[in-house]
Amino acid sequence: MKKELRIGMIGYQFMGKAHSHAYRDLPFYFDLEFQPVLKVISGRNDHAVKEAAERMGFEEYVTDWKKLIERTDIDIVDIVTPNHTHAEIAIAAAKAGKHIITEKPLALTLEEAKEMHEAVKENKVKHLICHNYRFAPAVLFAKKLIVEGRLGRLYHFRANYLQDFIMDPNFPLIWRLKKEISGSGALGDIGAHSIDLSRFLVGEIKEVVGMTETFIKERPSGEMAGGLKATADQSSLGEVTVDDAVAFISRFENGVLGTFEATRFAAGNKNKNKFEINGEKGSIRWDMEDMNRLDVYFRDDEAGLQGFRTINCTEEEHPYAGAFWPAGHIIGYEHTFINLFHAFLQGPDKEETAYPDFEDGVRNQAVLAAVEKSAETKQWIEIKV
Ligand code: SOE
């Protein structure tokens, strides 16, 4: 009988679905030393959390997260509630001796992120921040190529994270558009993913200079309605207090130059999280909207035959790809969470499957804070953790 790993989840919407699916699918694809069990799920709305528990397969549900954390039959607390709740819940869970998984960004502020990191270290619990895109096999393969020196010295990291789900002025003022709940807008919600990918693939960022913009300054009130959909109630208008778009450049500690863009106003782009890395020996580029493919260019290819070629990263040689289907049977967004949770729960077996933890979350939060400060002061800001 395998040891049970009992999950207590706080929150139940978009990320609650992605995480719950990953726990349930892990045993399908991996020979595990444990059995994930969806024990308890918590949400404020009794009817909604009851429905989510039944749909996603949790044994029980509660409407007070503190009751979940007090339980002795919970091993891992998984936080999928809005950003302003992460610190209080994670610190309480750490003090209760629970291992912690939380969505990104780690917190509302760098100070909160540091407190969370101190709490998990003091209470000796494992901790994960869900920068899931590291665990697309094509991204892990890019990491392998870089570690093996296939690009040589790196010169550029270039990332664009493009969405368009809030371009309609009637899209309501959801929690992601309120600073007191989200901390920032496109910067922390999707720019954080690009920052994590740059840290994972290139190294630490030394300094940044950036700018932000809020294109639509007022919106009708309303709430999320699953995924990235929302319903406006038009009863009142509210001020948008976060960025709709951000652009910043960076210098990495190793001398690489970085350019980053994150926007929710790039019409036609739905979740176009992409990067390109240029080195002395060649380049690689990846696009989440075509996530199984990695484009590579090597300068030592035979003259006349040089050019970007596309690798379909679904073969045994591509990290984690072999766990799913035969070559060419592509995988999707949900599999990045399965791989991420496998690395966290089973332990990473090599450098390229190092999972992102709260230290990564703190370093990421330091970059977010520096970009926001730069946008205010129009100055270069050094990253200080
Ligand atoms: C909304 O921008 C969002 O759901 C992000 O919050 C996720 O982190 C990203 O993976 C997809 O888009």
Side-chain angles (χ1 to χ4, degrees), residues 41-258:
I41 188 166
S42 169
R44 287 172 306 178
N45 178 311
D46 187 282
H47 170 74
V49 70
K50 179 177 183 293
E51 188 280 329
E54 288 163 0
R55 175 165 41 83
M56 299 196 287
F58 281 83
E59 292 175 11
E60 300 173 50
Y61 71 93
V62 296
T63 54
D64 177 357
W65 63 264
K66 291 176 180 166
K67 296 269 188 293
L68 182 152
I69 280 180
E70 289 162 5
R71 293 175 62 136
T72 56
D73 61 349
I74 296 292
D75 304 303
I76 292 181
V77 170
D78 186 336
I79 306 169
V80 288
T81 40
N83 306 343
H84 69 306
T85 66
H86 293 180
E88 181 187 15
I89 296 172
I91 291 167
K95 287 176 179 172
K98 311 300 185 190
H99 302 301
I100 302 166
I101 291 173
T102 185
E103 268 296 329
K104 35 47 63 185
L106 194 57
L108 279 187
T109 65
L110 178 55
E111 284 326 300
E112 272 192 352
K114 288 178 175 179
E115 288 164 16
M116 295 166 76
H117 191 208
E118 283 314 307
V120 295
K121 289 190 290 185
E122 279 164 27
N123 292 281
K124 298 180 176 52
V125 294
K126 289 182 66 175
H127 40 100
L128 172 77
I129 180 173
C130 290
H131 284 297
N132 55 298
Y133 295 113
R134 289 189 185 195
F135 281 81
V139 175
L140 292 172
F141 189 58
K143 171 76 175 175
K144 188 167 185 291
L145 293 175
I146 291 168
V147 167
E148 289 172 354
R150 298 296 300 271
L151 293 189
R153 175 188 173 191
L154 303 183
Y155 297 124
H156 293 280
F157 176 87
R158 191 172 301 110
N160 315 86
Y161 200 145
L162 312 176
Q163 294 181 339
D164 66 359
F165 74 99
I166 61 167
M167 291 185 70
D168 179 350
N170 292 314
F171 187 96
L173 194 65
I174 58 171
W175 68 264
R176 281 187 169 89
L177 306 180
K178 298 175 183 173
K179 188 172 184 60
E180 71 275 14
I181 298 178
S182 184
S184 62
L187 173 61
D189 186 35
I190 50 179
H193 281 302
S194 299
I195 292 165
D196 181 70
L197 287 171
S198 77
R199 292 189 55 251
F200 178 56
L201 295 164
V202 171
E204 294 303 341
I205 294 175
K206 178 170 181 254
E207 56 186 357
V208 297
V209 65
M211 62 179 172
T212 59
E213 185 53 73
T214 304
F215 298 115
I216 295 176
K217 310 242 190 267
E218 269 195 337
R219 290 180 181 268
S221 49
E223 293 303 331
M224 295 304 292
L228 292 178
K229 293 184 176 53
T231 47
D233 67 21
Q234 304 295 350
S235 62
S236 63
L237 279 176
E239 185 192 0
V240 176
T241 50
V242 296
D243 56 285
D244 288 331
V246 58
F248 66 95
I249 59 176
S250 72
R251 191 183 304 279
F252 288 76
E253 288 176 1
N254 57 17
V256 172
L257 295 187

Side-chain angles (χ1 to χ4, degrees), residues 13-38:
Q13 295 210 22
F14 181 4
M15 289 300 141
K17 186 156 69 170
H19 291 200
S20 305
H21 174 277
Y23 294 120
R24 295 191 60 162
D25 262 22
L26 263 168
F28 267 67
Y29 302 110
F30 296 98
D31 181 17
L32 305 170
E33 293 157 17
F34 54 85
Q35 175 60 39
V37 173
L38 299 183

Side-chain angles (χ1 to χ4, degrees), residues 131-143 145-146 151 156-163 190-198 200-201 259 261 269 271-278 283-297 308-314 318-319 321 330-337 339:
H131 284 297
N132 55 298
Y133 295 113
R134 289 189 185 195
F135 281 81
V139 175
L140 292 172
F141 189 58
K143 171 76 175 175
L145 293 175
I146 291 168
L151 293 189
H156 293 280
F157 176 87
R158 191 172 301 110
N160 315 86
Y161 200 145
L162 312 176
Q163 294 181 339
I190 50 179
H193 281 302
S194 299
I195 292 165
D196 181 70
L197 287 171
S198 77
F200 178 56
L201 295 164
T259 56
E261 180 192 19
N269 297 280
N271 193 38
K272 192 168 273 298
N273 173 5
K274 59 180 190 171
F275 66 77
E276 178 167 333
I277 300 174
N278 310 124
S283 298
I284 51 177
R285 56 189 187 205
W286 176 77
D287 175 351
M288 173 59 201
E289 289 189 356
D290 190 6
M291 66 169 271
N292 293 278
R293 295 179 189 277
L294 189 73
D295 288 346
V296 297
Y297 176 92
F308 271 99
R309 58 178 182 265
T310 295
I311 303 171
N312 191 339
C313 297
T314 56
H318 305 122
I330 60 174
I331 62 173
Y333 170 72
E334 68 275 23
H335 298 86
T336 65
F337 288 93
N339 297 341

